[in-house]
Amino acid sequence: MAKAPILTPQAEDFPRWYQDLINKAELADNGPVRGTMVIRPYGYGLWERMQQEMDARIKDAGASNAYFPLFIPQSYLTREAEHVEGFAPELAVVTHGGGKELDEPVVVRPTSETIINEYFSKWVQSYRDLPLLINQWANVVRWEMRPRVFLRTSEFLWQEGHTAHATYEDARDYAARIHQDVYYDFMVNVLGIDVVLGRKTPKERFAGAINTLTLEGMMGDGKALQMGTSHELGQNFAKAFNTSYLSKGGQQELVWQTSWGVSTRMVGGLIMSHGDDKGLRVPPRLASVQVVVMAIKGDEAVLAKVREIGDVLKAAGVRVQVDDRTDTPFGRRAVDWELKGVPVRIEIGPRDLENGTAMLARRIPGGKEPVRIEELAALLPKVLEEDQETLLRQSRERRLSRTTDVATIEEAAEAALAGGWARIPWATLGAEGEAKLAEQAVTVRCLVMPDGSVPETDDAEGALAIVARAY
Amino acid sequence: MAKAPILTPQAEDFPRWYQDLINKAELADNGPVRGTMVIRPYGYGLWERMQQEMDARIKDAGASNAYFPLFIPQSYLTREAEHVEGFAPELAVVTHGGGKELDEPVVVRPTSETIINEYFSKWVQSYRDLPLLINQWANVVRWEMRPRVFLRTSEFLWQEGHTAHATYEDARDYAARIHQDVYYDFMVNVLGIDVVLGRKTPKERFAGAINTLTLEGMMGDGKALQMGTSHELGQNFAKAFNTSYLSKGGQQELVWQTSWGVSTRMVGGLIMSHGDDKGLRVPPRLASVQVVVMAIKGDEAVLAKVREIGDVLKAAGVRVQVDDRTDTPFGRRAVDWELKGVPVRIEIGPRDLENGTAMLARRIPGGKEPVRIEELAALLPKVLEEDQETLLRQSRERRLSRTTDVATIEEAAEAALAGGWARIPWATLGAEGEAKLAEQAVTVRCLVMPDGSVPETDDAEGALAIVARAY
């Protein structure tokens, strides 16, 4: 009798595989209020590592963390017309506080441009105060009609950057710097996801922005996921909140602004990029546990050895966990570590001890082989780097093999509906073609230049549209 | 003409001094919704360092971080009778989401015992799942009638730990471990505040707890501030949510629980413990900027030297910032660093360069002296350690000199109203005396044993009550 698979196979039902993995690897649960989620310790560990890596890059880009209130007066949102139009349908509204009905209802922040501009307009006085570069790690709420854990949740965790600059050029360059040096660098070099850098079409732009830069990843089923965005806000919020400064020349000028964010949605992207039918595969540079050292049996000598190896590997700079829970069957623990996607398992039993060897099981390429125990500390950093590269290479190969160059709107729709990306000249597609694709739930993910660079205008000559179904 | 002081002097009006300092040192602003606050980058930097230090200690105590939803169904809160009674008056209620009135209103979490128990009751099945040790970094909302920045705000940031154990003893010991090894260690050794470890009286207990352990600090005006609490919850929430496990013996048993938290209120405690009429004084172990290296003038050689010293000190493990903003007058910058409480300023101008010396200005003991530049890297770590000890010693001296042993309720009230702490036998005071003091806004901060240990019961023989006015 064949064993029932632990997860629904991807090929059978990708969305169900995703949900199965999240449950069985103990990443998250659905919350009691529709669309909310509980992030369990192992899932939160992924987010914590993402935060650490991102936070260091954000600080390198010169921004400082701060914190703005969760509650925003309803009147703030209405000051920027496009912004309120975009967010009104998703708002959660607090009407009662401290046992009384409030005079003015407050909204739970869906994003913080408005409340932040209220303060920027006080803090920014002179050109000396610019650029003002602020980042916030926070929860936000956007009421979600079709929730899916990590991907679309009514409450999610994110960072949101908000900056003010003296000139258009400085703001534009900063939005591009975050896009490239912070987000792209992190997603490619830590997450191992071969995202595409692009520009959103006017239709897909952030509500209130003059330009939205995006990073799009191809998931295991060929659909696209927007992994992060960096916006040029122009002077739209500066006008609405009168955020201005005294220039060197003695003139009162409006600032130019950016905002940019990535969220717990990246955890969903990680799962759908690297997961397989056995579970998650975590890139070593992200993993909070890179190596688990497992005692096969509760033999005293074995337990002593796994702990010793744990210490040696820790000293070698490896993020290691010792699994000595030998009251749980070994097979069950091994399957659990596979589900959780820990890159390397080192398995040791009494016979291995006699031979001076351990079994090295690699989650990313798969396979097991015996290795001499004294060689582990030197070997593992190399193995982990190799695995990191493998994930990125696989992500890139998938994207290249499942992206088709097409010449017509019909071909673009066909390629997207078949589970891939289509690349079509934007001059051929245009806003009309975009609307037509939307009828089949196919969207323009972004515009790119043929050399891979990001178009500088909405109608840059030669720009290509990447077209796909998306999460 | 005498210069106007930068801050209202403490002796003149302590609350106004506090508010002045927060404004002028750019720590925080009031938010637009009553009782909320905007934490500005320098203030948030204090909180970030608190988070880092606390998080490491919490993980050393075996807990893992996770995240539970902001929104809690109203019905959850009502399941534990004392809990809902305690929190009902402070709740913010969301009645509308996504443009519609909700079927069941949801509350914005004031704390997470209820929602966490809902999940613990699913996750905990067997004794193998225990202890379950979870921590969450989050924002919470408690509608505040008399708000004061950092101390009492309608929204604040905190960590809340929640644990489940197989036995009463294990839960009790864990609550005590957090109290002592995490909170006390952090507050004394990092914040430099000589807090008292004690037990709350039944009246002051957390709503739903069977025992609340507290850490009380004496502020600069002699009032007390509750800096953190660790609760034994007994089986109250376990009963309400049926959080039970299959014991080794095959019985279904309810778990025993703890919860514990510290918040951005600690930033307020830091200010009121160590601040003086010139501004804040940040303990070196906490400071994100321990040393600022200032160019007095924009001379090329001076700028090159301050940057070089910055690099040398960074290499020596000092958290350093270079201040080369010479388009702002030196005096103004120096006053600003004093306000912000950076422990050490190194000031360099053209004449210092000629002499090979720098001025070393120490914020904590006060005073300035010339030091040879090449000695700075060796000298500074010692200076910073000395300053750290000075702050703790001053905190201890204040507490000891302003605490009075008294024998009657009248004397206790008198000592507290005069701006100090009174220590009185709990047997003399009792619940009746406690109620009488409350009429004069004087409270029992905690019960302690004469040897400084924490009473094990509500009526431990020989216990002393510490009585004070409090924030």
Side-chain angles (χ1 to χ4, degrees):
Chain A
M1 199 177 78
K3 259 211 278 188
I6 290 181
L7 305 175
T8 304
Q10 289 189 338
E12 191 180 310
D13 186 341
F14 195 84
R16 204 167 143 197
W17 163 84
Y18 177 76
Q19 191 57 59
D20 277 5
L21 191 158
I22 286 171
N23 293 342
K24 299 236 167 119
E26 300 183 338
L27 298 176
D29 276 1
N30 289 315
V33 173
R34 189 175 154 73
T36 62
M37 66 177 160
V38 175
I39 310 179
R40 300 185 68 172
Y42 191 70
Y44 196 81
L46 297 171
W47 176 241
E48 266 184 311
R49 286 281 306 131
M50 290 181 188
Q51 286 186 301
Q52 283 168 14
E53 293 281 343
M54 290 280 309
D55 197 66
R57 284 168 177 77
I58 289 168
K59 285 176 175 153
D60 281 347
S64 301
N65 290 334
Y67 187 77
F68 292 81
L70 175 69
F71 291 153
I72 303 181
Q74 218 163 24
S75 59
Y76 282 24
L77 264 90
T78 57
R79 288 203 217 163
E80 212 292 329
E82 280 188 27
H83 191 68
V84 68
E85 198 187 314
F87 283 104
E90 301 177 357
L91 297 178
V93 183
V94 177
T95 53
H96 291 72
K100 286 187 189 158
E101 187 163 356
L102 303 179
D103 292 336
E104 184 191 352
V106 299
V107 304
V108 183
R109 65 178 160 226
T111 180
S112 302
E113 278 76 6
T114 59
I115 194 164
I116 284 180
N117 261 278
E118 176 77 6
Y119 288 85
F120 275 20
S121 72
K122 291 177 194 168
W123 299 343
V124 173
Q125 299 293 330
S126 124
Y127 68 92
R128 285 191 190 85
D129 302 322
L130 298 175
L132 179 56
L133 311 174
I134 298 287
N135 179 59
Q136 160 167 292
W137 290 97
N139 54 344
V140 287
V141 170
R142 299 178 186 178
W143 214 262
E144 187 56 65
M145 291 302 138
R146 296 170 302 127
R148 190 174 299 184
V149 179
F150 289 122
L151 299 176
R152 280 193 309 272
T153 48
S154 293
E155 180 193 7
F156 56 87
L157 305 182
W158 77 345
Q159 62 67 219
E160 48 178 320
H162 297 270
T163 70
H165 306 258
T167 64
Y168 163 74
E169 289 75 16
D170 197 43
R172 179 197 63 195
D173 293 350
Y174 199 76
R177 180 178 175 184
I178 294 292
H179 191 219
Q180 174 82 47
D181 297 353
V182 176
Y183 292 168
Y184 186 78
D185 180 69
F186 168 71
M187 291 178 195
V188 169
N189 294 320
V190 179
L191 297 187
I193 301 179
D194 181 46
V195 291
V196 166
L197 289 161
R199 177 186 180 101
K200 287 286 186 190
T201 63
K203 179 175 180 286
E204 296 285 336
R205 217 171 253 162
F206 175 75
I210 62 167
N211 180 27
T212 291
L213 302 170
T214 183
L215 302 103
E216 303 282 328
M218 184 188 277
M219 303 293 102
D221 60 353
K223 283 174 146 185
L225 182 73
Q226 177 182 305
M227 301 274 294
T229 46
S230 180
H231 315 291
E232 295 177 52
L233 302 177
Q235 298 184 311
N236 290 342
F237 289 91
K239 278 174 201 155
F241 288 84
N242 192 26
T243 313
S244 62
Y245 70 98
L246 196 65
S247 72
K248 272 191 187 173
Q251 304 290 316
Q252 204 66 32
E253 311 262 13
L254 291 173
V255 300
W256 295 85
Q257 295 188 272
T258 79
S259 70
W260 27 279
V262 296
S263 74
T264 37
R265 162 173 264 220
M266 287 196 297
V267 179
L270 185 82
I271 298 167
M272 293 197 297
S273 287
H274 300 319
D276 64 18
D277 285 348
K278 290 180 181 167
L280 183 55
R281 299 185 303 165
V282 183
R285 287 194 204 140
L286 182 74
S288 58
V289 183
Q290 297 176 310
V291 174
V292 59
V293 187
M294 299 182 70
I296 295 177
K297 287 202 172 146
D299 179 297
E300 273 311 314
V302 168
L303 291 174
K305 186 51 96 178
V306 295
R307 286 167 197 151
E308 183 197 318
I309 295 175
D311 291 340
V312 168
L313 292 181
K314 200 171 290 175
V318 175
R319 293 191 288 272
V320 64
Q321 184 167 326
V322 169
D323 177 0
D324 52 10
R325 300 166 301 151
T326 48
D327 56 348
T328 302
F330 169 74
R332 208 165 114 191
R333 287 182 287 137
V335 164
D336 191 54
W337 291 119
E338 278 197 334
L339 270 167
K340 289 192 158 72
V342 169
V344 172
R345 300 195 307 279
I346 295 169
E347 305 170 351
I348 301 193
R351 201 172 317 157
D352 302 295
L353 261 197
E354 279 171 31
N355 299 334
T357 60
M359 280 309 258
L360 180 80
R362 291 173 64 176
R363 179 67 182 89
I364 288 163
K368 266 193 196 194
E369 54 172 354
V371 172
R372 297 211 59 78
I373 288 174
E374 67 269 23
E375 288 169 8
L376 283 170
L379 184 63
L380 278 172
K382 284 180 227 160
V383 161
L384 293 170
E385 267 313 291
E386 197 180 295
D387 288 352
Q388 180 78 32
E389 284 163 28
T390 299
L391 287 177
L392 180 60
R393 194 182 60 244
Q394 290 176 349
S395 169
R396 180 162 296 150
E397 284 168 0
R398 177 170 59 223
R399 180 173 69 79
L400 295 177
S401 70
R402 293 176 79 163
T403 299
T404 317
D405 283 297
V406 299
T408 69
I409 299 174
E410 291 68 30
E411 287 169 336
E414 198 181 328
L417 294 171
W421 291 7
R423 205 158 34 197
I424 181 172
W426 175 235
T428 306
L429 189 61
E432 259 181 64
E434 188 178 16
K436 209 167 153 189
L437 288 175
E439 290 166 15
Q440 297 172 78
V442 173
T443 48
V444 178
R445 303 314 308 153
C446 60
L447 304 178
V448 297
M449 297 308 288
D451 65 358
S453 66
V454 179
E456 291 187 7
T457 63
D458 287 342
D459 292 301
E461 208 179 311
L464 301 169
I466 291 179
V467 161
R469 288 199 300 159
Y471 283 95
Chain B
M1 199 177 79
K3 259 210 281 189
I6 290 182
L7 305 175
T8 304
Q10 290 189 339
E12 190 181 311
D13 186 341
F14 195 84
R16 203 167 143 198
W17 164 84
Y18 176 76
Q19 191 57 57
D20 277 4
L21 191 157
I22 286 171
N23 293 342
K24 299 236 167 123
E26 301 184 337
L27 297 176
D29 277 359
N30 289 315
V33 173
R34 191 177 151 73
T36 62
M37 65 177 159
V38 174
I39 310 179
R40 299 186 69 173
Y42 191 71
Y44 197 82
L46 297 171
W47 176 241
E48 265 186 309
R49 285 281 308 133
M50 290 181 186
Q51 286 188 300
Q52 284 168 13
E53 294 282 342
M54 292 280 310
D55 197 66
R57 284 168 176 78
I58 289 169
K59 284 175 176 154
D60 281 347
S64 300
N65 289 335
Y67 187 78
F68 292 81
L70 174 70
F71 291 153
I72 302 180
Q74 216 163 27
S75 59
Y76 282 25
L77 263 91
T78 58
R79 288 203 216 163
E80 213 290 330
E82 280 187 29
H83 190 68
V84 69
E85 197 186 315
F87 284 104
E90 300 177 357
L91 298 178
V93 184
V94 176
T95 53
H96 292 72
K100 286 184 189 160
E101 186 162 357
L102 302 178
D103 292 338
E104 184 189 352
V106 300
V107 304
V108 183
R109 66 177 161 227
T111 179
S112 301
E113 278 77 6
T114 60
I115 195 164
I116 284 180
N117 262 278
E118 176 77 6
Y119 288 84
F120 276 18
S121 72
K122 292 176 193 170
W123 300 342
V124 174
Q125 299 293 330
S126 124
Y127 68 92
R128 285 191 190 84
D129 303 320
L130 297 175
L132 179 57
L133 311 174
I134 297 288
N135 179 57
Q136 160 168 293
W137 291 96
N139 54 345
V140 287
V141 170
R142 299 177 185 177
W143 214 263
E144 187 55 66
M145 291 302 140
R146 295 171 301 123
R148 191 175 299 186
V149 178
F150 289 122
L151 299 176
R152 280 194 310 273
T153 49
S154 293
E155 179 192 6
F156 56 86
L157 304 183
W158 77 345
Q159 62 67 220
E160 48 178 321
H162 297 270
T163 69
H165 306 259
T167 65
Y168 163 74
E169 289 76 15
D170 197 43
R172 178 196 63 194
D173 293 350
Y174 199 77
R177 180 177 173 185
I178 294 292
H179 192 218
Q180 176 83 46
D181 297 354
V182 176
Y183 292 167
Y184 186 77
D185 179 69
F186 168 71
M187 290 176 195
V188 169
N189 293 319
V190 180
L191 297 187
I193 301 178
D194 181 47
V195 292
V196 166
L197 289 160
R199 178 186 178 99
K200 286 286 185 191
T201 63
K203 177 175 181 290
E204 297 285 337
R205 215 171 254 162
F206 175 74
I210 62 169
N211 180 25
T212 289
L213 302 169
T214 184
L215 302 103
E216 303 281 329
M218 183 187 278
M219 303 296 102
D221 60 352
K223 283 175 147 185
L225 181 73
Q226 178 181 305
M227 301 276 293
T229 46
S230 179
H231 315 291
E232 295 177 51
L233 302 177
Q235 298 184 311
N236 290 342
F237 290 91
K239 278 175 200 152
F241 288 83
N242 193 25
T243 313
S244 63
Y245 71 98
L246 196 66
S247 73
K248 271 191 189 173
Q251 305 288 317
Q252 205 65 33
E253 311 263 12
L254 290 172
V255 299
W256 296 85
Q257 296 189 271
T258 80
S259 69
W260 26 280
V262 296
S263 74
T264 37
R265 161 172 264 222
M266 286 195 299
V267 179
L270 185 81
I271 297 168
M272 293 196 298
S273 287
H274 299 319
D276 63 20
D277 286 347
K278 289 181 182 166
L280 183 55
R281 298 185 303 166
V282 183
R285 287 192 205 142
L286 182 73
S288 59
V289 181
Q290 297 176 312
V291 173
V292 59
V293 187
M294 299 183 70
I296 295 178
K297 286 202 173 146
D299 179 296
E300 273 310 314
V302 168
L303 291 174
K305 186 51 95 179
V306 294
R307 287 168 195 151
E308 183 197 317
I309 295 174
D311 292 340
V312 168
L313 292 180
K314 200 171 290 175
V318 174
R319 294 191 287 274
V320 64
Q321 184 167 324
V322 169
D323 177 359
D324 51 11
R325 299 167 300 151
T326 46
D327 54 349
T328 302
F330 170 74
R332 207 165 116 192
R333 288 182 286 138
V335 164
D336 191 55
W337 290 119
E338 279 197 335
L339 270 167
K340 290 192 157 71
V342 168
V344 172
R345 298 194 310 279
I346 295 168
E347 305 170 350
I348 300 191
R351 202 172 314 159
D352 301 297
L353 261 196
E354 279 170 32
N355 299 335
T357 60
M359 280 308 261
L360 181 79
R362 291 174 64 176
R363 178 68 182 90
I364 290 163
K368 268 193 195 194
E369 53 172 355
V371 172
R372 297 211 57 77
I373 288 175
E374 68 270 21
E375 288 169 10
L376 284 169
L379 184 64
L380 278 172
K382 284 180 227 159
V383 161
L384 293 170
E385 266 315 289
E386 198 180 294
D387 289 350
Q388 180 79 34
E389 283 163 28
T390 298
L391 286 178
L392 179 61
R393 193 183 60 246
Q394 290 177 348
S395 168
R396 180 162 296 151
E397 284 169 359
R398 176 170 61 223
R399 180 174 70 80
L400 295 177
S401 70
R402 294 176 76 162
T403 298
T404 318
D405 284 298
V406 300
T408 69
I409 299 175
E410 291 68 28
E411 287 169 334
E414 197 180 331
L417 293 172
W421 291 7
R423 207 160 31 200
I424 180 172
W426 175 237
T428 306
L429 189 62
E432 260 181 65
E434 189 178 16
K436 209 167 156 190
L437 288 175
E439 291 166 15
Q440 297 173 78
V442 172
T443 49
V444 179
R445 304 314 307 153
C446 61
L447 305 178
V448 297
M449 297 308 290
D451 65 358
S453 66
V454 179
E456 290 186 6
T457 63
D458 287 341
D459 293 301
E461 208 178 313
L464 300 170
I466 291 180
V467 162
R469 288 199 300 159
Y471 282 96

